[in-house]
Amino acid sequence: MEEEKKPTTVTPNQEVKKEDKPGEKPAAGSGEESFGALFEESLSRKHFDEGEIVSGIVVSMEKEYVMVDIGDKCEGQAPIEDFRGPDGEIKALVGDRIEVLVEQRMEEQGVILLSKTKAEKKRMWEVFENAYKNQTPVSGKVTERIKGGYMVDMSGVKAFMPGSQADLRPLKDPDSLVGKEDQFQILKFNRKRINVVVSRRTVIEKKYKEQRGHTMSELEEGMIIKGKVKNITDYGAFVDIGGVDGLLHVTDMS
């Protein structure tokens, strides 16, 4: 007779479930995995200080604010007016990557106040500072003529240009510069006092110096060249032939 098999009993300490076997991961979508993913994501997000310029992505457009994801633990929002162009239209779309300045952290409300306009101004001051140190020209627009000189708009920053720095020689019509866009050299720079003094004359002098060097290296006797009459006197005319003033004697004029 076959020996009757006794049922095998397993104590709770000996019981091994399939999902608990060594080397096997929890089933997809388990609570442990979801919590772990959220925890990993929270660790990867950064903490930005007030006054810092950060890069973010526009995630939604609200009535008064533009919501921007800057990778922080709190949501970021910037005033909608920061994105309005001269024509009144909003110049932003969901998905755009922009630079904003962290203006105020309101962590209790779960939000960070941002400013796109202030970020642009801060960047522009950095450009001015580098241009002043390296003596490189920057773009601007003469907006008005005032006592002693002109006001120049340089990307929203007002700069003063003395009348003596407007051109190489006194202008016959000083108002002709108003509304003109040009390159300017920064002569004085004080960010704390918001004081910038610029010169158009310095930029012109540098260009003329470069032209003069090129012209003198190319000139030869007998060459036929073109020039611009700059001044006429009793004994002839002064002609600009490329950064160099040449005298055309009255006896050689028709």
Side-chain angles (χ1 to χ4, degrees), residues 106-123:
M106 302 174 64
E107 298 186 24
E108 293 182 358
Q109 290 80 12
V111 69
I112 300 175
L113 300 184
L114 308 172
S115 174
K116 178 174 176 288
T117 301
K118 290 182 179 180
E120 291 172 347
K121 285 188 176 180
K122 187 174 181 179
R123 286 293 190 210

Side-chain angles (χ1 to χ4, degrees), residues 177-201:
L177 278 184
V178 178
K180 185 175 183 178
E181 295 184 2
D182 214 325
Q183 296 285 304
F184 301 86
Q185 185 85 36
I186 298 178
L187 301 181
K188 293 183 181 180
F189 177 84
N190 191 317
R191 183 171 179 175
K192 292 182 179 180
R193 297 183 180 180
I194 314 180
N195 181 25
V196 181
V197 179
V198 298
S199 170
R200 177 172 173 266
R201 175 177 178 170

Side-chain angles (χ1 to χ4, degrees), residues 46-50 70 72-74 102-109 111-113:
K46 301 177 181 179
H47 177 97
F48 296 106
D49 296 326
E50 294 180 2
I70 60 173
D72 200 288
K73 297 177 181 178
C74 300
V102 178
E103 196 165 12
Q104 184 179 359
R105 296 188 64 90
M106 302 174 64
E107 298 186 24
E108 293 182 358
Q109 290 80 12
V111 69
I112 300 175
L113 300 184

Side-chain angles (χ1 to χ4, degrees), residues 25-250:
K25 297 180 180 179
S30 66
E32 290 85 352
E33 187 178 55
S34 300
F35 176 79
L38 291 173
F39 182 71
E40 290 285 341
E41 183 182 356
S42 68
L43 291 177
S44 65
R45 301 186 78 80
K46 301 177 181 179
H47 177 97
F48 296 106
D49 296 326
E50 294 180 2
E52 194 173 350
I53 293 180
V54 298
S55 176
I57 297 176
V58 176
V59 293
S60 68
M61 310 287 292
E62 310 297 334
K63 185 178 180 181
E64 297 182 354
Y65 294 97
V66 172
M67 304 305 295
V68 184
D69 181 7
I70 60 173
D72 200 288
K73 297 177 181 178
C74 300
E75 292 184 341
Q77 62 180 34
I80 192 73
E81 293 302 320
D82 283 6
F83 299 83
R84 199 177 297 279
D87 57 358
E89 296 294 325
I90 302 300
K91 308 296 183 181
L93 295 172
V94 173
D96 287 353
R97 179 169 288 278
I98 60 172
E99 278 196 330
V100 287
L101 181 136
V102 178
E103 196 165 12
Q104 184 179 359
R105 296 188 64 90
M106 302 174 64
E107 298 186 24
E108 293 182 358
Q109 290 80 12
V111 69
I112 300 175
L113 300 184
L114 308 172
S115 174
K116 178 174 176 288
T117 301
K118 290 182 179 180
E120 291 172 347
K121 285 188 176 180
K122 187 174 181 179
R123 286 293 190 210
M124 188 52 58
W125 278 110
E126 292 173 357
V127 170
F128 293 161
E129 189 171 3
N130 289 331
Y132 175 67
K133 290 179 179 178
N134 301 321
Q135 292 296 289
T136 54
V138 293
S139 299
K141 182 178 181 180
V142 180
T143 56
E144 60 179 319
R145 184 186 174 199
I146 61 174
K147 184 178 180 180
Y150 301 85
M151 293 303 298
V152 182
D153 182 0
M154 303 170 68
S155 300
V157 176
K158 297 293 184 181
F160 173 68
M161 179 173 68
S164 61
Q165 297 297 323
D167 210 317
L168 296 176
R169 298 174 181 83
L171 296 169
K172 294 181 180 179
D173 181 13
D175 290 328
S176 62
L177 278 184
V178 178
K180 185 175 183 178
E181 295 184 2
D182 214 325
Q183 296 285 304
F184 301 86
Q185 185 85 36
I186 298 178
L187 301 181
K188 293 183 181 180
F189 177 84
N190 191 317
R191 183 171 179 175
K192 292 182 179 180
R193 297 183 180 180
I194 314 180
N195 181 25
V196 181
V197 179
V198 298
S199 170
R200 177 172 173 266
R201 175 177 178 170
T202 304
V203 177
I204 297 174
E205 285 177 341
K206 286 184 178 179
K207 289 181 179 179
Y208 266 73
K209 187 176 180 179
E210 293 174 358
Q211 289 179 350
R212 190 180 300 115
H214 176 73
T215 300
M216 294 303 293
S217 65
E218 297 288 331
L219 279 180
E220 293 180 4
E221 291 186 10
M223 288 180 63
I224 298 176
I225 56 176
K226 290 183 178 181
K228 183 177 181 180
V229 177
K230 296 177 63 178
N231 191 25
I232 298 177
T233 67
D234 294 336
Y235 50 87
F238 286 96
V239 183
D240 180 5
I241 56 174
V244 177
D245 287 348
L247 174 63
L248 177 62
H249 198 270
V250 67

